[in-house]
C-alpha cells in the first residue's frame, strides 16, 4: 500500500501561511444564491464606454496582436506622462520612468519584489486593501500595521508613521482614497507624512487607483509633493475610473532605478501587458475624460443616497469622500462583522463585505460598495433597515427619496 504523498509539505511555507481573500470566500457563497443584491464587489457596474471597446476592436482589425515592448506601448506611456503632468504637475520620462503593468495588482507585486529584502518591514494602514499584506509576505518581508479607527476617521498621521518606524522599515504604502473606508487624506496631512518618509529615507508606494474618484476636496498625487517624486512608486490604472476591470491594465511611475528593477521582474514573468488592453487604455486617456466624469458624477449621487440611508438606519458612518465604498459601524447590532454579513445575506439577500476581511481594525464594520444602480441601492438599504430593525430596534420607515436624480446608464455608457 502506498501512502498519499504530502503535497502540502512541498509548498512554499510563505504561501501556505497566507489566507485566501476574505472577499472571494464570501462571494463564492453569494454566487450560489438567487435574488441577491450585491453591494460587495469592488468594481464599477458600468460597462467600459463604447469608444474604448471600439478602439480595441479597431486595433485587432489592424492586426495589433503581437507582444509590445516589455515596458508597454510607448504611445501609451507618453499619454500617461502627459496626463500626470497636466493633472498633477509631476513629470516622468515615458522611456525610463513609466512601466505598463497588468493592473495595479501586478504593479504592487513588482514594486514589493523589486525593493523588499527578507526581514524588511512595510508600513500598511489598516483596514487595508486585501492584497497589501500578502504581497508583502510573499516578497519575504513583514507587514507592520498602522491601526486606524473610526474615531480618527480611518486616517493615518505623521506621528503614527514615526512611531512605527524601526531600522528595518523600508516602505510605506498608502491607498488614497481608501479601500475599504472611502476616507481620503488631504494635502496638509500628506505633507506631514511625507516629511517623516523623507527623514527616515523610506520609499512611498502610492496606490492611487481611486484618485479620480474623489468627491470632496482635491486629490493630491503623492509624487507631486516636495522631494517625494523620486522616492515614490506611483501605481495607478484604468480598472476603476474607466470601468475597465477585466482589461487588466495599469501602470507604475517612478525613478528610473525603481522602474528598471520592476521591468526586469515584469519581463521575465509577464513579458508585457496585453496589447489589446493597452490600445484600449490609450483611447481611454485620449478621449475618455467626459465619460469618466459622468460615471464619477453618478457615483457621487449614489454616495449621497448611501450616506442618508445609513443615517436613517442608524448605522454610524464617517463620510465616504472617495472610491465607491461606505464603511458603516455595525457594532450597535451586537453582531460581529462576519455574522452581520452572513445573516444579512441569509435573511435579506443583501451582500456586503465583512470588515475583518480588511484586517483586525475592520472588525465591527462592513464595506458597502455603491457601484450599484440607485434602484438596487434603494432596495438594498430598505432590506438592511428591516434587518437592523429586527436586531436592535423596531423597524422604522425610511424617508430617503432616491431615484429622482438617476441618470440612465445608457446615457453614460452606450451599450452598442
Ligand atoms: N488597489 C486597490 C486599492 C484596489 O481596490 C484594487 C482592486 O479592487 C486594486 C489595487 C487592483 O486593481 P487592478 O484591477 O488595477 O489590478
Amino acid at each position: 500500500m502506498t501512502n498519499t504523498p504530502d503535497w502540502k509539505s512541498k509548498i512554499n511555507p510563505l504561501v501556505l501561511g497566507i489566507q485566501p481573500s476574505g472577499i472571494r470566500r464570501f462571494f463564492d457563497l453569494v454566487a450560489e444564491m438567487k435574488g441577491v443584491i450585491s453591494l460587495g464587489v469592488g468594481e464599477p457596474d458600468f460597462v467600459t464606454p463604447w469608444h474604448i471597446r471600439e478602439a480595441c476592436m479597431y486595433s485587432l482589425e489592424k492586426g495589433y496582436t503581437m507582444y509590445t515592448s516589455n515596458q508597454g506601448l510607448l504611445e501609451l506611456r507618453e499619454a500617461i506622462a502627459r496626463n500626470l503632468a497636466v493633472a498633477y504637475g509631476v513629470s516622468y520620462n515615458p522611456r525610463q520612468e513609466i512601466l505598463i503593468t497588468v493592473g495595479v495588482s501586478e504593479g504592487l507585486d513588482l514594486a514589493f519584489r523589486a525593493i523588499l529584502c527578507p526581514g524588511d518591514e512595510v508600513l500598511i494602514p489598516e483596514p487595508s486593501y486585501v492584497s497589501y499584506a500578502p504581497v508583502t509576505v510573499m516578497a519575504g518581508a513583514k507587514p507592520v500595521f498602522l491601526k486606524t479607527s473610526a474615531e480618527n476617521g480611518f486616517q493615518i498621521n505623521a506621528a503614527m508613521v514615526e512611531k512605527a518606524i524601526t531600522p528595518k522599515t523600508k516602505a510605506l504604502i498608502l491607498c488614497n482614497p481608501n479601500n475599504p473606508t472611502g476616507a481620503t487624506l488631504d494635502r496638509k496631512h500628506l505633507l506631514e507624512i511625507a516629511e517623516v518618509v523623507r527623514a527616515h529615507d523610506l520609499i512611498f508606494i502610492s496606490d492611487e487607483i481611486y484618485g479620480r474618484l474623489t468627491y470632496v476636496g482635491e486629490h493630491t498625487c503623492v509624487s507631486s509633493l516636495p522631494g517625494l517624486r523620486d522616492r515614490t512608486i506611483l501605481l495607478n490604472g484604468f480598472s476603476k475610473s474607466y470601468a475597465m476591470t477585466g482589461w487588466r491594465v495599469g501602470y507604475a511611475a517612478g525613478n528610473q532605478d525603481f522602474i528598471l528593477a520592476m521591468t526586469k521582474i515584469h519581463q521575465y514573468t509577464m513579458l508585457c501587458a496585453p496589447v489589446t488592453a493597452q490600445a484600449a487604455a490609450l483611447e481611454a486617456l485620449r478621449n475618455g475624460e467626459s465619460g469618466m466624469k459622468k460615471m464619477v458624477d453618478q457615483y457621487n449621487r449614489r454616495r449621497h443616497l448611501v450616506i442618508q440611508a445609513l443615517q436613517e438606519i442608524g448605522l454610524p458612518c464617517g463620510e465616504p469622500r472617495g472610491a465607491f465604498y461606505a464603511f458603516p459601524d455595525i457594532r450597535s447590532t451586537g453582531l460581529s462583522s462576519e455574522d452581520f454579513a452572513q445573516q444579512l445575506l441569509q435573511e435579506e439577500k443583501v451582500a456586503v463585505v465583512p470588515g475583518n476581511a480588511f484586517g483586525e481594525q475592520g472588525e465591527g464594520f462592513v464595506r458597502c460598495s455603491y457601484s450599484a444602480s440607485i434602484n438596487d441601492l434603494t432596495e438594498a438599504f430598505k432590506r438592511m433597515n428591516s434587518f437592523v430593525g429586527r436586531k436592535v430596534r423596531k423597524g422604522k420607515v425610511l424617508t430617503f427619496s432616491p431615484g429622482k436624480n438617476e441618470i440612465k446608464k445608457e446615457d453614460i455608457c452606450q451599450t452598442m
Side-chain angles (χ1 to χ4, degrees), residues 114-166:
I115 63 165
L116 295 176
C117 304
D120 282 347
E121 293 176 357
V122 179
L123 304 181
I124 306 178
E126 196 194 79
S128 81
Y129 175 53
V130 291
S131 83
Y132 297 159
V135 171
T136 305
V137 170
M138 284 191 281
K142 182 178 161 208
V144 173
F145 297 106
L146 304 174
K147 296 188 179 289
T148 69
S149 64
E151 289 66 43
N152 64 15
F154 290 112
Q155 307 275 13
I156 58 164
N157 57 43
M160 275 165 98
V161 177
E162 179 92 53
K163 199 164 159 219
I165 291 173
T166 73

Side-chain angles (χ1 to χ4, degrees), residues 45 63 70 72 120 122 137 171 287 296 310 391-392 395 412:
D45 58 319
N70 294 137
D120 282 347
V122 179
V137 170
N287 299 308
V296 173
L310 288 169
K391 303 293 165 190
V392 292
I412 294 175

Side-chain angles (χ1 to χ4, degrees), residues 42-43 102-106 108 129-132 175 177-179 207 209-210 236-240 244-246 248-250 325 367:
E43 69 177 334
V102 181
V104 170
S105 303
E106 195 214 355
L108 285 165
Y129 175 53
V130 291
S131 83
Y132 297 159
C175 173
N178 185 271
N179 174 9
D207 180 346
I209 193 163
Y210 296 106
N236 206 337
F238 299 82
S239 290
K240 314 288 174 168
M244 291 178 65
T245 47
R248 313 307 306 129
V249 60
Y325 309 111
R367 190 188 76 175

Side-chain angles (χ1 to χ4, degrees), residues 13 15 52 66 102 124 148 151 155 168 177 226 269 275 281 342 361 385:
V15 178
I52 298 177
M66 276 68 168
V102 181
I124 306 178
T148 69
E151 289 66 43
Q155 307 275 13
K168 293 182 176 163
T269 50
V275 60
Q342 290 277 2
Q361 292 303 104
N385 185 51

